[in-house]
Amino acid sequence: MREWMVKVGVAPRSPLALLEETATAVRGLLRGEEVSVDGREVRLDAARLVHPPAAVPPVVAGVVRPRSLELAGRVADGAIIAEGHGPADLVAALGHMEKGRQTDAQQSLTVFAFLRVEGDPALLQATVGPALAGHAEWLGRPVEQVFAATGPAAGAAARVRGRREPTRWCCRRSAPSRCGRWRRLSERCARTSPA
C-alpha cells in the first residue's frame, strides 16, 4: 500500500505513527467519544460520530511486517494478513502481536489465502501462477515460498487444515516465552510450510 500512497503523493512520514494514531482515534469514535488528535500523521479537532454503533465493532489492522504486527497487538483488536503467508508466517505474526499486546483482551488474526482446486498442473499454473509470482515479488521471497492451497481437492484441503492450526491455538492467548506448546507448534509449522 505504501507504494500506492507514494505514487499519489499521500505517503505518511511515519507509517507506524499513522497506524497507531488512526487505530486509537477510530476506536474512540466508535465508542461514541469526542476525539481530538494532534499527532505526527493524524489531526482531528473534537470529532464525534453522529450515530456511533450500538455495538462497537472490532478495529483490525491490515499489516505484514514485524513492527506493524507488534503495534497491531498493542492498539487494535486484531490483524489481517495478506495472501501468501503459510503456517510458519502465522506463528511468527502471532508472536509479534503477542509482544505488543498490553491487555488480556481477545485478539483475532484474519488470514487470506490463494485457493484453487484444479487437477491439471498446466491449467493451475496458467490461472494461479501470475498471482503467486506477483505476491512473491511483493513479499520478497521465491514463488515456491508463497503459500497457496492449490491442486487436487485433497491436497488443497490438507494445506488449509495445516494453516488453520496456528490460529486455532492462538485463541488460548498464551505468550510464546511461557508456553512449550508454542515452541512445538512453531517447529511443526516450520517443517510443514512450503520450501
Side-chain angles (χ1 to χ4, degrees), residues 93-115:
L94 291 169
H96 293 301
M97 289 175 65
E98 184 70 33
K99 184 177 177 184
R101 195 164 65 97
Q102 296 179 340
T103 71
D104 289 334
Q106 189 98 6
Q107 291 183 310
S108 67
L109 181 62
T110 302
V111 184
F112 291 97
F114 292 107
L115 172 64

Side-chain angles (χ1 to χ4, degrees), residues 84 114-116 118 120-138 141-151:
F114 292 107
L115 172 64
R116 171 70 182 197
E118 176 59 61
D120 179 350
L123 186 54
L124 190 61
Q125 175 58 33
T127 56
V128 181
L132 296 180
H135 247 63
E137 183 178 338
W138 179 68
R141 61 176 66 170
V143 72
E144 298 80 27
Q145 292 179 10
V146 175
F147 180 88
T150 59

Side-chain angles (χ1 to χ4, degrees), residues 1 8-9 31-32 37 42 56 61 93-94 114 121 137 144 146 148 159 185:
M1 180 136 145
V8 296
R31 287 190 302 261
V37 178
V42 175
V56 178
L94 291 169
F114 292 107
E137 183 178 338
E144 298 80 27
V146 175
R159 293 193 44 87
L185 177 61

Side-chain angles (χ1 to χ4, degrees), residues 87 90-91 94 158-172 181-182 184-186 188-189 192:
L90 302 184
V91 169
L94 291 169
R159 293 193 44 87
V160 170
R161 278 191 300 277
R163 186 164 150 180
R164 282 179 40 209
E165 180 63 27
T167 54
R168 191 176 317 129
W169 182 85
C170 134
C171 295
R172 292 191 54 230
R181 187 170 178 193
W182 179 278
R184 290 189 304 276
L185 177 61
S186 299
R188 191 173 100 218
C189 288
T192 60

